[in-house]
Structure formats: C-alpha cells, structure tokens
Amino acid sequence: MTWAPERRTPLQVLRALESGPRGLLESEADARLARDGENVLPTRRTSSWPLRLVRSLRDPFTAVLACLAVVSALVAAWGTAAVIAVLVAVSCVLRAAGEYRADRSAAGLRELVATTATVLRRAGPDADPAPREIPVDQVVVGDVVRLGPGDLVPADLRLLRATGLTMHQAALTGESAPVRKHPADEPSSEGTGFDRPELCFQGSSVASGSGTGVVVATGAETRFAAAYGGDGAVRGSVRRSVRGSVRGEAARGKVRGGDRRTTAFDRSVYGISWILIRFMLLTPPLVLMANAALRGRGLETLPFAVAVAVGLTPEMLPVIVTTALARGAATLARTHEVIVKRLPALHDLGAVDVVCVDKTGTLTQDRPVLDCALDASGAEDPDVLRWAAANSLWTLQLAEVPAADALDEALLDAAEQRLPGGLDALEHDPVAALPFDPVRRLSTAVVRTPDRLGSHTLIVKGAVEEVLDRCALGAGERSRITALAAARADDGLRVLAVALGERPARTRAYTTADERGLTFVGLVGLRDATAETAAAALTALARSGVEVKVLTGDHPGTAARACRELGLAPGEVVTADVFDGLSDPALAELAARTTVFARCTPEQKARIVRVLRERGHVTGFLGDGVNDLPALRASDVGICPRDAVDVAREAADVVLAAKDLTSLDHAIAAGRRAGGTIAGYLRITLSSNFGNVIAMLTAGLLLPFLPMLPAQVLVQNLCSDAAQLAFAYDRQDPAALRRPLRLRPREVLRFVTGFGLLNAAADLATFAVLAWAVGAGSDAPGQASFHTGWFTENLLTQALVMLLLRGGRGARGPVPVAACGLAGAGLVLPLTPVGAGLEMAALPGVYYPLVGVVLGLYAGGLWWCGRNHR
C-alpha cells in the first residue's frame, strides 16, 4: 500500500481491494494468502554462530575478562593471556549455545499464545457473512476485521465504521494517551503519520469502543514493518518509543510506554554483577601498588594481579542464569501449561511475595447469572430486565464488538429464559450505540420505538453511581436507591442500574454528552460464581508465603463476598475514594495492611502495585482485561490467563494456559527453583573466590615470591568453572521453596564475606603447613612445591564448599559428582604432564595428612556456619 494520503472514500478503497463490507469469500482469502504470504513481520535471519559468539562478549564479565587478556598480551604475559582467552572462549560458546536453546524454546512458547483476529468471511457468493476468529498470520488484504476493547490491530486498516473507538499507539509514537479514531469519507490531510484518524495501524491496540475496518496492508507492507525497515522517520519514532519503554503492546510482544523500571532480576543479579565488576577493575592496580610499595616489584607482577582479578570473577554466571531459566520455563510449559514469555520473569516469580489479582475472570468465573431485576421501590419488575437486555442486544449489534461482555451475555440469556417471547420481545429499531468503557462505566443504546414516532429512546446501563449521576432525582430518592443497591451489593451481587432518556429524533451522531437528564428505571443484580480452582490456588499461595491482595472495580460488598467464599479473609475493604487523596507513603502503609481494594480505576490499581514495589515488595499482578493493563505494566511480573484480551496477553510476562489457577503456585515454585540455582551458584562461587583472592593478596605481600603462578591461578579457575556448571542442573532444597526467594546484594555480600574469610583462614593454615612440610623458600624447587600444594588445597576447598553449602539436598545429583571430579583434578593434575608444563612438582607424603587436618577443620567450620546461617 502507498502511504501518501489517497483521495479515496471507504467504498472506493473496498472496490480497489476487490472486497466489500460483507467480507471476503473463504476461497478468495485462501488465494490471497497463497499469493501474498502470511501476515507476519519480515523474519529476521537466525543469528549465525559467529555472530552469537561476538554478542556473548557484551556480557560485562566476559568483556572485562577479554580486556584483561588484552592487557596480559600487551605486557608479553602470553601464558596468562592464553588461559584467559580459553576462559572467554568457553564462556562465549556455552552462553551462545544456551541462548540458542532458550530462543528456540521461547519462540515455541510464544506460539502457544498466538493472537487471533475476528474477520468476516463468507462460505459462498450468496452466503451470509459470519464472524470468524483466525490466527493473525492468516489475515489477508481485503479482510473485514472487527475490533473491540483489548484487541490488537492485526494489520493496517481503513475504518469503515466505528463507535467510540480510541487506540493506544504508544508502541508506534510513544504517546501514552489514547487516540480517537473514526471513519472518514474524505481522508484527512494531517499527513502520512500515525495521527490519521481513519487508519488503524498494526502494533496499536483498542483502548475503548469498537470498530470495523478493511485490511489495506499486511506483513512487510505495514507501517509497523516499515518502522523496522527503511522509513527513517518512522523507524526513529519507533526506536524512541521502544528505547523509552519496557514491555509493550506490540513489537516482540513487549513494548510499553514510559521509562524502563528496575525489576527484581535487575536489583539482584545485575546489582551483584556490577558490584563484582567494580572490585575486579580495582584489584589489579591495588595489587600493583601494594607490591611496589612493600616488595619493590614492578610490572612483573601485572600477570599475577590480572590472575587475581580473574579469580574473583564468576565466569559461568551468564551460562548458569540462561540455562536455569530456560530449563525452568520449558518444564513449566510441558507439565503445567504455564508460558513464560520473558525468561528473567521466571526469576522474578520466585521472588514474588505479594500477588495482586483482579476479581472478575480470575477469582470468579467470567460468566455471571441474573439474580434479580428490581424497580425503584425494590420490587421485581420484568420491564427492568427487558430494558437492560435491549441495551445489551443493540449495543453488541451496533458496536460490532467481536466478543460479547459476560454481563451482556448473562442479561441476554436471562431475557431469553424469563421474558414472554424471549429476545423477540425486544421490539425496537436500533439507531446508535455508545459501548461500555472502563472510565465512564456505562453503555448506551439508542433505539426507535414503533409507537413513539419522531423520538429516540436512550437506554443507559452501567455502574449505579454513574447512572444515578445522570438521572434527574431528588436527594431523598437518590439516597433510597443507593441504599437499595448497596444492600444487594453487600449480599454479594454485582448491581447495575438502568435508566431511559427521550430525545427528539435526529441524524446527528450521539455522544456521551447526551447521557444526561435520564429517568431511573431500576436495578439488575447478577451473581458471580467463584472459579473452581481459586480457593485451592489461594491456599497454595498462602502456604508458599505469598500474600494475596484483590484490586477490583466492583462494589466492596461483592468483592468481600467472593473473598469469603474462597476462604480469603477480606478484612476492612477500602474503596478508591478513601485512598485516592493519600500520599504514596501513606498509601503504601494502607496497602500493607489491606487485603481488598474496591471501586478501583485502572490507574489506581497500577498505583497500588507501584507503591507496594517501592515499599520493597516484589509484586505480581494477575489480570485479564483492558482495565488491568496499567497494573500489569507496573508490576514486577505481569500474569494473565490464556483467555485474556489480546493486549493483556501481549503485555503479560507469564501466561497461564490452563484454567487451573493452581498453576500459578507451580510457576512460583519453578521460579524459586531457578532463582535458588542462581543464588546458590553466586554464594558458593563467590565465597570460594573471595577467600582465595584474600589469601593470594596476603601471601603475595608476605612471601618473597608469588604464592602461585598466574597460569596456575587461571587453570585452577578453569577447573572450578567446569565443575560449577553442574549447578545449572542441581536439585533445590525443598525447604527453600516454602518462602519467597530474595537475592539481595547486601545479604549476598555479607554471606560471601563471612565464608570467604573462613576460606582464607584455611588457605593461610595451608601456607603454614607448606612452609613446614616442604620448606618453601627462595629456591625454585621449594617455590614449585609451594605452588603445587596451594593449587591442590584450593581445588579441594572449592569441592568442599560445593558439597557443604548446597544445603539439605543429599549426596545425589550432578553437583556432588562435579565436586568429586574437581577434588580428583586437584590431586591428580600436578602429577600429569600438564602439571609439569605448569611448573608443578610432586609433594611429599607428609603434606597430605597435614592438609587433611586443615580441610577437616575447614569442613567443620563450613557445616557449623552453614547450619547457623540457614
């Protein structure tokens, strides 16, 4: 499609596309799909292995190691440079392989929640058009598409009809406010940008209202694809939007307007990583200065200083993180039908201690049933049901919403069953409709009644407060009706008000400004059935140490009744008018002690989630509607069921494909397992590395020779890294899965400092053993024996740390096997030709029992400290 403003009417566009308002024939759609291809963005070529390896260098640890290798080569420390290069190469290969597997798994998982679109298709030339829900990639040019709240726009559309239609275009323009869209006989002259009101673009989503449009471009021909391709202005706009957002409503499924917020994964893993990188960068100059000041050594100690810095590095961290998260996500999808769309979100799930949920569609079934239809005096009145059902029927038909709202379906079902003549009794001629939106909380149908010529009737249905605000009522009458509605709501019903308005017939379009001066008709009450597995899910979450808070737009009584039925004590329900004027700190205090918030707008839900995060909680939000989008964005982890609206599925990090809400507890447990793997690796590896670095620095300053040759230090690291890969496949202590896993940098550093000092004490004791057993001195044989003895002891202590700091997980699993292999390498390697090449020497027999005593004391200290720490 050409994106210059075309002077064409909608009818001319339909003719040019050889389509019509009744949609395409199925055969024609199939032919166009075969001719034009699927409606997908241009496929990016799979990254080659060399490119993946180069990208692996972007990891900060790997980049620092590569820089240290270059520094070593510049001072002709070729052995040090070679071993560091091997470490970098191994890390890059493992990282690239892990990311390749993770990308394939993620792509497969995303296909399980592929978005669909509602199109009009005809089986034959004389057949009536029928709405069909098809995968987005099957949409073709000329298809007539229906849009409703929460739908993602599947391709570029020219609007044919629209009712109150507004679009979120943040993924395309960076503007957070919804943009009004409407059809136009004459295209606007506002330019070729995304502000053209008659066009809806792929990558945007419906904020409110409904519409019908014809597809004018798919796949590579859409403006969204152009933004990734050659259109510089558009590409710049999208790049600015994506750069200023985190997880969203379009490209890659995750583009959200606003500044990038810090998640639990960022605060933990990345926070620790950058602290370590600072230490690594400071270590070489400190070692050089100390040796120059105390020993008069110059640049000849630079390779040793570089080796010490490398010794502090958890080189396998990127590999462990990628592997643990990818394995956890694949297991969840296979066994519990939970789809993790963003791998770090699995770690964040393990850290979640507060889950905020919307009530409707999550804790309750999104299929209410009619309980009562009351007039203004509180008596049963079938006319109230008749008017409410008429509002539902004509709003659905005129607004052409792809899927009926659950409340409307319940009212239509009740009308069919309870009214004489069923739906045929709703004998009105429809004129116009203003569909429901979550801000004004109303829907209006405008009809022409046969016995009232020259006039139109507005049928308004919605939230009681909103309808009463638009009715001509005295204060006493309003209070009485409000009390009647409140009594029904306190009984657990969802209460809607119905009102009528008479207007002179006109051709001018109706707007929300016409919803004034109404006559109150009555109330309808609907009862929600709780979700079958919601009670079990809430019990499981409580058992796992996760607090549940309900954020709903419903009446407080309705919310409290649902919570009590599910076994969740609601306490004092807080409504939006109570907390809306509070400051953020005051709201955080209130949120900490409140279980149910009622009458919340979408923005108020998001604010509650945000203040909980700012208070230090890791929050998940479970929701399924358009009104849940701000809260999904504000949470650490956005969660939705599979049958959520399109835009919610695209925005969520985790999708519960099964109806069973207990799958959320399984997802949290999987997150804790993956987070426990990462935390265990960091604690154990850093404790050992930190202790070795302290011992190296101390010995380097006290001894007249280097305590270990740089190449020996790096080979020791290589052996340790190979063994530590087993952590990615280790089992977790069941006790660790009973509470939220929080990997706080300060706590980790305290742990590492304590156990590192214990490790350093064992190393210093080994120095004393070596000094006595092998007579280490300034002669070459004595120095070689010292180097060998410490090399062996280092690998043995690291093996002990791997075994004893795992916790109560038994002797089975890959880690004990890897630890035994590491210990064997420490004992055997010095006796091999490799050891000889590293200038190692055989140790006297007396060394082994003495170092055995040191290791026994060290193991006892590890066990005692580890027991007290847990």
Side-chain angles (χ1 to χ4, degrees), residues 346-370:
L346 184 59
H347 167 277
D348 295 343
L349 269 177
V352 162
D353 58 355
V354 174
V355 170
C356 301
V357 300
D358 179 42
K359 180 183 72 67
T360 307
T362 52
L363 297 183
T364 60
Q365 297 181 27
D366 201 7
R367 187 71 176 178
V369 294
L370 182 72

Side-chain angles (χ1 to χ4, degrees), residues 386-741:
R386 183 168 64 86
W387 286 116
N391 170 281
S392 297
L393 177 65
W394 302 122
T395 300
L396 291 175
Q397 290 200 8
L398 292 178
E400 296 183 339
V401 179
D405 179 82
L407 293 175
D408 290 326
E409 287 186 336
L411 290 171
L412 293 175
D413 288 343
E416 183 68 30
Q417 297 167 9
R418 300 188 185 189
L419 295 178
L423 294 179
D424 292 337
L426 308 180
E427 40 187 46
H428 308 95
D429 296 326
V431 175
L434 300 175
F436 177 86
D437 71 66
V439 176
R440 86 183 205 284
R441 300 194 296 163
L442 297 172
S443 65
T444 297
V446 183
V447 299
R448 183 185 302 107
T449 305
D451 59 352
R452 295 180 183 177
L453 298 177
S455 68
H456 289 164
T457 301
L458 275 68
I459 312 172
V460 180
K461 169 173 62 67
V464 175
E465 298 90 340
E466 301 295 338
V467 173
L468 294 183
D469 284 345
R470 292 161 172 80
C471 291
L473 293 172
E477 182 73 0
R478 179 188 173 97
S479 298
R480 189 179 60 77
I481 295 173
T482 301
L484 175 64
R488 294 295 177 173
D490 290 340
D491 193 37
L493 299 183
R494 300 179 67 180
V495 182
L496 302 176
V498 182
L500 300 178
E502 294 294 326
R503 303 287 185 270
R506 72 190 196 200
T507 57
R508 180 168 51 87
Y510 284 89
T511 68
T512 57
D514 294 304
E515 298 168 335
R516 294 287 184 273
L518 305 176
T519 301
F520 180 77
V521 173
L523 304 171
V524 290
L526 301 102
R527 186 178 300 278
D528 284 331
T530 57
E532 294 180 0
T533 59
L538 293 176
T539 301
L541 290 172
R543 191 170 53 242
S544 300
V546 178
E547 188 177 1
V548 175
K549 297 186 182 296
V550 179
L551 314 181
T552 179
D554 280 348
H555 187 280
T558 306
R561 174 67 177 268
C563 290
R564 284 193 293 268
E565 290 180 356
L566 294 171
L568 178 65
E572 182 181 354
V573 179
V574 176
T575 54
D577 57 350
V578 172
F579 69 80
D580 200 31
L582 296 179
S583 64
D584 282 357
L587 179 57
E589 291 289 340
L590 179 64
R593 61 178 186 269
T594 301
T595 300
V596 180
F597 290 88
R599 294 303 192 200
C600 295
T601 65
E603 291 72 22
Q604 288 166 338
K605 291 182 183 181
R607 186 183 174 212
I608 293 169
V609 172
R610 178 175 56 80
V611 298
L612 285 170
R613 291 181 66 245
E614 292 173 352
R615 190 178 173 86
H617 294 286
V618 178
T619 61
F621 184 86
L622 173 60
D624 64 347
V626 180
N627 60 328
D628 297 321
L629 282 177
L632 285 169
R633 299 169 185 170
S635 62
D636 287 285
V637 188
I639 310 162
C640 76
R642 188 172 184 172
D643 56 358
V645 297
D646 292 347
V647 71
R649 286 205 310 270
E650 291 295 323
D653 303 303
V654 177
V655 178
L656 308 179
K659 278 287 188 182
D660 187 355
L661 281 181
T662 56
S663 59
L664 177 58
D665 183 60
H666 295 303
I668 289 175
R672 291 178 183 179
R673 280 191 288 270
T677 295
I678 297 168
Y681 167 79
L682 279 171
R683 289 191 178 105
I684 292 171
T685 301
L686 294 180
S687 297
S688 179
N689 290 358
F690 185 62
N692 289 339
V693 167
I694 292 175
M696 285 182 188
L697 294 176
T698 304
L701 297 177
L702 297 178
L703 296 175
F705 56 88
L706 294 178
M708 197 183 296
L709 297 179
Q712 295 169 348
V713 175
L714 296 171
V715 169
Q716 170 191 283
N717 276 355
L718 191 59
C719 293
S720 299
D721 290 340
Q724 289 160 0
L725 285 174
F727 281 111
Y729 303 92
D730 194 22
R731 296 180 304 173
Q732 292 299 307
D733 182 358
L737 304 181
R738 298 172 190 159
R739 59 187 183 275
L741 187 143

